[in-house]
Amino acid sequence: MSGDETAVAEGPPAASPGGGAAAPGRPGPGDRPHARLPAVFAALFAALYCVHSLMRHALLRSTGYDLGIFEQAVRGYAEFRAPIVPLKEPGFHLLGDHFHPWLAALGPLYRLWPDARLLLVVQAVLIAVSVVPVGRLAIDRLGVRSGVAVMVAYGLSFGLQGAVAFDFHEIALAVPLLAFAMVALVEERWRAAALWTLPVLLVKEDMGLVVAAVGAYLLLRRRWRLGAAMLGGGFAAIAVIVLVLIPLWNPKGYAYFGSVSGGGMVHGSPGAGGDLLGTLLGFPASLVEHPQKLWLLWMLGVVTAFAALRSPITLIALPLVGYRLVSTIPLHWSTERVHYNAILMPILFVALVDAVVRMRGGARRPVRTYARFAVPAALAISLVSLPGTEFGKMFSPSFWTTTPHVTAARQVLAMVPDDARVAASNFLAPQLTGRAEVVLFPNVTRAPMDWVVVDTRRPSVVPVPPDQIPAAIAALPGQGFRLVADRDGVQLWHRR
C-alpha cells in the first residue's frame, strides 16, 4: 500500500498535559472533567460575539456594504431565487462577484427568521465553534491552564474581533473548517485534514490558496499522493472559478484581478487594469510606502508572541498573507475592523500549540524557556491590548447608548412601507433590506425608486465621496421627490 493509503486514520495517542502520550489505564481526554471546557468557552464567546454584533446593528452601526448585500443574497436563496443584489447594481448576481455557494445553506434559516440579525448570529456561532478544536488540542497537548489561556487569547484575537465587528461575511464558515483542519494536521490525521479543508472552496474563490497550501504541507510530510492532489486541486479550483464559473454570472468577468495589478477601487469594488508585473517588482518599496503592511506582519507575529513561527503549520498562512501584501487595496492590509484576518487565527493558534510542544523537547535551554512563557505572553498581549480593540469598546457606556439620533432614524425608517423601492444611505440600508428593495443613495445606477432615506449626519464613502451627498440631496426635488420627514438630519423623501 502507498504512504497515502496507510496514513493514520485516527489521531495519535491522547497527549498528556506535558505533550506526551497518555499513560495506560488513565482516562482519555474525552473522559476527563475538563473535556467540556472547549464547548463552554465556545458558548461564552458565541454569546460575546452575538451581543457585540447585535448591539452594533441595533445602534445603526452596520452597513449596506456588506451586511445588506449578504442579506439580499440570502433572501434570494430563501425565496428560491438567484442571489440578486440591487445594492451592487440592478440585477447583479452575487455569484458573479465572489464564489460563495455555501450561503444558499442559510436560505432555510432565513425563511424562519427573515432578518439581517440572523446572519450576525450565524457568523458569531460559526466563529465561536472554532474555539472547540483549538481548545481541545491546547488542553490535550499543553494542559488545562495553558489550554484555557490559549482559548482566551484565541477568542479575543484581533482577527476574530475584526470579523465580528465587520458586519457579516462569507469567510465565517472557513474559520471553523480551518480550525478542525489544522488540528487534524498536527495530529497527523491526513485524510481528515483534507476533508476538513476541501469545503472551504465553497466559501470564496481565493480559498483555493488554502487548499494548495495544505497540499504543500502534506508533501513536506511525505504524503505524496494526497499532497499533490490538494496542491494541484487548489490552484485548478481557483482557475475554474475565476475564469469559468464567475463569468457565467458576470458578463464583465472577474472584477478582482485589479487588486494585485493596481486596479484600485470603484464604488467599493476593485476595478480592473493596472500592471501586475510592476506591482510585484515594486513590492519591496511598497513596504516603505505603506507601513500598514509591516504593521500587519507585526500583528500576525505578536498575536502568538511570535511562537507560532516555530511551527511548520504557519507555512499554510503564507499564500494568504502574501496575496494581501501585494494587493493594492488598503483594506487588505488592515488589522482593524475587517474580516480578512479571521481565517489566519486558527492557523496561527494551532501553530502556537504545535510550536510550544516542539520547543519543550528542544535541546537548548533558551528554547525550553521560551516554550514556558509563550502561551502566558500571548494571553497577556491579548488582555493588555483589549482596551484598544473592538471588544474593548464594550466597556464604554457609549457602546450601549441609544442616542437621540438613533431614535430619530428608527422613527423615520418605520415610515418606509414594506416592499417599497428605496434608495438608502449606507448606514440605513441594512435596516431595510429584509423588507424592501434597496439600493444605495445616491442612486448612481439610476434604478427606479419611489423612496429615499438619507442620514445627512452620517455620510459614508460608499457609493460616492461624502462631499457629493449634499448635491445629490439638492437634486431630489428636480427628480420628482418631496420631503416627507426630517428628524435630526435623517430625511425621508417620496416621489410625487
Side-chain angles (χ1 to χ4, degrees):
M1 300 176 69
S2 68
D4 290 328
E5 293 170 340
T6 57
V8 180
E10 300 295 336
S16 68
R26 293 179 59 184
D31 301 324
R32 299 171 189 166
H34 59 257
R36 298 184 181 89
L37 281 177
V40 171
F41 274 87
L44 292 174
F45 278 115
L48 174 64
Y49 300 160
C50 280
V51 169
H52 187 278
S53 294
L54 295 177
M55 196 64 196
R56 287 186 69 255
H57 183 66
L59 296 180
L60 309 186
R61 294 167 185 163
S62 55
T63 58
Y65 268 67
D66 283 338
L67 181 57
I69 287 175
F70 284 109
E71 184 180 14
Q72 287 182 335
V74 174
R75 184 182 179 186
Y77 286 127
E79 296 173 356
F80 302 102
R81 297 185 289 105
I84 302 301
V85 177
L87 278 168
K88 295 284 285 186
E89 62 181 70
F92 187 87
H93 197 301
L94 199 60
L95 285 176
D97 185 45
H98 288 300
F99 186 73
H100 34 49
W102 89 267
L103 291 177
L106 299 183
L109 294 176
Y110 190 83
R111 291 184 70 88
L112 298 175
W113 186 21
D115 194 292
R117 290 172 292 181
L118 168 72
L119 277 64
L120 299 177
V121 171
V122 167
Q123 175 172 260
V125 172
L126 285 172
I127 293 177
V129 165
S130 68
V131 174
V132 174
V134 174
R136 284 177 177 169
L137 179 73
I139 290 175
D140 291 346
R141 296 292 172 96
L142 306 180
V144 176
R145 285 187 297 179
S146 293
V148 169
V150 168
M151 285 190 288
V152 173
Y154 173 72
L156 297 178
S157 62
F158 77 94
L160 299 190
Q161 288 196 46
V164 170
F166 190 64
D167 293 352
F168 171 88
H169 212 274
E170 74 267 81
I171 213 69
L173 181 65
V175 177
L177 289 174
L178 289 181
F180 282 104
M182 297 305 105
V183 169
L185 288 177
V186 169
E187 295 177 343
E188 299 185 356
R189 295 182 292 116
W190 312 119
R191 289 176 179 162
L195 291 175
W196 280 114
T197 303
L198 288 173
V200 302
L201 293 174
L202 302 180
V203 173
K204 199 176 178 184
E205 66 279 358
D206 59 2
M207 290 295 98
L209 292 174
V210 177
V211 175
V214 170
Y217 180 88
L218 291 172
L219 290 176
L220 289 175
R221 299 303 305 271
R222 301 179 181 275
R223 305 296 160 176
W224 307 116
R225 184 181 301 175
L226 185 59
M230 295 281 286
L231 178 63
F235 287 117
I238 294 175
V240 170
I241 291 171
V242 304
L243 298 178
V244 179
L245 295 182
I246 288 180
L248 290 177
W249 298 292
N250 188 349
K252 299 177 182 178
Y254 186 59
Y256 293 82
F257 287 121
S259 64
V260 292
S261 61
M265 302 282 285
V266 179
H267 299 312
S269 295
D275 177 14
L276 174 59
L277 179 60
T279 299
L280 296 176
L281 293 177
F283 169 66
S286 75
L287 294 177
V288 177
E289 181 182 359
H290 303 292
Q292 304 98 312
K293 295 182 178 182
L294 293 176
W295 181 249
L296 171 62
L297 292 176
W298 167 262
M299 289 295 293
L300 292 176
V302 79
V303 72
T304 63
F306 296 96
L309 297 177
R310 297 189 65 90
S311 168
I313 293 292
T314 303
L315 296 174
I316 296 172
L318 291 183
L320 294 170
V321 177
Y323 167 75
R324 290 172 58 191
L325 290 178
V326 300
S327 171
T328 57
I329 299 176
L331 276 178
H332 287 171
W333 322 324
S334 178
T335 58
E336 297 180 358
R337 198 168 60 84
V338 294
H339 58 278
Y340 300 109
N341 299 303
I343 56 175
L344 299 174
M345 296 300 106
I347 300 173
L348 293 178
F349 276 84
V350 170
L352 167 64
V353 175
D354 182 52
V356 170
V357 173
R358 291 170 180 270
M359 288 188 294
R360 282 179 173 179
R364 293 182 295 174
R365 180 166 183 163
V367 172
R368 295 196 301 271
T369 302
Y370 187 25
R372 190 181 315 125
F373 292 104
V375 170
L379 175 61
I381 289 168
S382 69
L383 295 178
V384 169
S385 61
L386 186 60
T389 64
E390 286 295 325
F391 291 168
K393 297 176 182 177
M394 299 177 72
F395 294 100
S396 171
S398 63
F399 181 85
W400 308 92
T401 301
T402 301
T403 64
H405 182 73
V406 170
T407 301
R410 290 206 167 278
Q411 291 171 349
V412 173
L413 288 167
M415 300 171 66
V416 178
D418 291 347
D419 300 319
R421 298 183 302 180
V422 54
S425 53
N426 196 28
F427 287 102
L428 302 179
Q431 309 295 326
L432 296 169
T433 45
R435 62 182 184 89
E437 181 179 338
V438 184
V439 300
L440 287 179
F441 179 84
N443 183 8
V444 295
T445 60
R446 310 315 310 160
M449 291 291 116
D450 299 318
W451 297 83
V452 169
V453 57
V454 55
D455 189 342
T456 62
R457 290 184 52 188
R458 297 184 67 202
S460 170
V461 297
V462 178
V464 297
D467 58 7
Q468 297 184 22
I469 299 297
I473 295 175
L476 289 175
Q479 298 169 10
F481 287 89
R482 65 181 178 86
L483 185 63
V484 175
D486 186 348
R487 300 184 183 179
D488 200 33
V490 182
Q491 299 181 357
L492 179 65
W493 298 73
H494 183 229
R495 191 184 297 275
R496 291 194 288 269

